Amino acid sequence: MNEPLHDFEDTSTRHRILAATAEVLARSGQTKLSLSEVALQAGVSRPTLYRWFASKGELLDAFGTYERDLFDNGISKATAGLRGTEKLDAALRFIVDYQHSYSGVRLVDIEPEVVIAQLGRIVPVMRARLQRLLSGPNGAVKAATAIRVAISHYIVRSDDDDQFLAQLRHATGIKANG
């Protein structure tokens, strides 16, 4: 009869471990990631961590999915109820805000070679997701250009969010607002 509560606790523990992974990755990078440090950061025992994730590889795979879900859920919330250009613009604003506020994992500063390899796999996925929000001719080119602008701003951190957003809008063909 306690099963739903147990599931909730498990989900909460899993979430804490994944959130702690972000913190540890930001300090140590992927290569030097310590499961002991993740367990300590999450406030769980090592056996608890191993119950959820049997290896470092399994934890990193789950963390990748966790990050994609956070991003996808954020985009969904930012664009809920919107259509057309308003929806696209809301998605672009979310991308800027996400990169600006993202606690994380500036792995590019710690392990650039790991990030470059990951970007090679992520770029096509991000491009396809953004392209779904674009209409008209050249959607694939617009989406690819916007994603490459976003990646450029990630790799070489920009301190000008307005410029970043203006560049994304330009890449996707959204006319400047007033």
Side-chain angles (χ1 to χ4, degrees):
M1 299 281 175
N2 282 342
E3 202 60 39
L5 180 57
H6 180 69
D7 286 346
F8 175 75
E9 289 170 355
D10 284 352
T11 301
S12 174
T13 299
R14 184 177 195 279
H15 177 81
R16 277 196 350 255
I17 292 169
L18 292 169
T21 301
E23 297 298 319
V24 175
L25 280 170
R27 290 192 301 264
S28 308
Q30 222 172 281
T31 306
K32 295 179 183 173
L33 180 72
S34 157
L35 295 182
S36 296
E37 195 177 345
V38 171
L40 183 64
Q41 181 77 36
V44 300
S45 67
R46 279 186 57 125
T48 297
L49 185 137
Y50 280 111
R51 186 171 56 118
W52 284 101
F53 307 103
S55 68
K56 180 175 161 178
E58 197 175 300
L59 176 61
L60 289 171
D61 288 347
F63 180 73
T65 301
Y66 168 77
E67 278 191 312
R68 280 189 301 280
D69 289 347
L70 281 177
F71 185 82
D72 289 346
N73 290 337
I75 285 273
S76 293
K77 284 180 186 172
T79 61
L82 300 175
R83 300 183 89 60
T85 302
E86 285 183 351
K87 185 172 188 166
L88 174 60
D89 197 50
L92 299 178
R93 286 192 316 270
F94 175 79
I95 290 169
V96 172
D97 292 344
Y98 184 81
Q99 281 196 23
H100 181 81
S101 67
Y102 191 48
S103 67
V105 190
R106 286 285 300 165
L107 277 179
V108 71
D109 297 333
I110 301 168
E111 295 178 313
E113 67 285 352
V114 171
V115 172
I116 298 301
Q118 289 173 337
L119 287 174
R121 292 187 303 274
I122 293 169
V123 166
V125 174
M126 293 173 67
R127 184 186 62 235
R129 287 178 178 166
L130 185 58
Q131 189 174 341
R132 287 192 296 244
L133 298 176
L134 291 163
S135 60
N138 300 319
V141 171
K142 289 176 181 179
T145 304
I147 294 306
R148 294 206 179 262
V149 166
I151 288 170
S152 172
H153 278 267
Y154 172 72
I155 291 174
V156 180
R157 178 76 85 186
S158 171
D159 61 353
D160 191 340
D161 290 348
D162 291 336
Q163 263 303 311
F164 181 13
L165 181 57
Q167 291 167 12
L168 289 174
R169 285 175 172 158
H170 180 76
T172 56
I174 294 178
K175 300 295 182 224
N177 296 343

